[in-house]
Amino acid sequence: METSEKTNKMHLGRKISRIRELRGMKQEALATELGISQQAISKLEQSEEIEDSTLDKVAKALGVTAEGIKHFTEETIFNNINNFHDNSIQNNFNPIEKIVELYERLLQSEREKVELLKGINNEK
């Protein structure tokens, strides 16, 4: 259990990197938000420990709390996603139906084009 606790507390830089990736943010975007260079973000993400003042700024830019970064684990994310899925309204989305619907709209559009072209050719 000690190893698990130590892993959770260690390497804040990796946690920042993973949270940034999960939010779909590039290092350049985070750097711009913080007013520093992309290289500084890269160095930050390689750091095991980060000063609280810096961590607070990064957390704000990522839209999370400093405590959220400190206690971040992949397991937490998966649990949150599963809980959200379990508690959300089930959407009966059928991708095949959507594909058929799009195909039919495309087919109708092509038919309209053919009719327009026939009309242009008949005028000549």
Side-chain angles (χ1 to χ4, degrees):
M1 195 69 177
E2 185 180 318
T3 306
S4 176
E5 276 183 37
K6 191 174 181 182
T7 304
N8 269 356
K9 292 180 183 176
M10 304 240 347
H11 221 296
L12 290 174
R14 284 193 196 129
K15 292 180 180 191
I16 290 169
S17 174
R18 189 65 181 128
I19 292 168
R20 177 184 55 75
E21 290 169 354
L22 288 169
R23 297 195 50 82
M25 184 182 272
K26 296 199 175 284
Q27 283 184 341
E28 293 84 7
L30 182 56
T32 300
E33 187 79 23
L34 295 171
I36 59 177
S37 69
Q38 179 271 326
Q39 291 81 3
I41 296 295
S42 179
K43 186 176 178 181
L44 181 79
E45 290 181 353
Q46 294 171 18
S47 303
E48 273 189 54
E49 296 179 12
I50 299 170
E51 291 181 19
D52 286 343
S53 61
T54 303
L55 189 60
D56 288 338
K57 292 175 188 173
V58 171
K60 185 176 180 184
L62 290 173
V64 297
T65 63
E67 286 301 310
I69 293 173
K70 289 178 183 177
H71 298 292
F72 171 81
T73 65
E74 294 284 332
E75 186 177 311
T76 305
I77 293 300
F78 293 126
N79 286 340
N80 287 340
I81 290 170
N82 286 338
N83 287 341
F84 175 76
H85 178 70
D86 292 343
N87 294 330
S88 65
I89 297 171
Q90 295 295 322
N91 185 0
N92 294 329
F93 174 76
N94 185 345
I96 302 288
E97 289 176 6
K98 288 295 180 185
I99 292 171
V100 169
E101 181 183 322
L102 289 171
Y103 176 76
E104 287 173 349
R105 287 192 342 216
L106 178 63
L107 190 58
Q108 182 59 36
S109 174
E110 291 300 314
R111 287 179 182 143
E112 290 170 3
K113 286 179 189 175
V114 168
E115 291 303 315
L116 284 172
L117 289 172
K118 283 182 181 176
I120 291 173
N121 285 337
N122 288 338
E123 291 176 8
K124 290 182 179 181

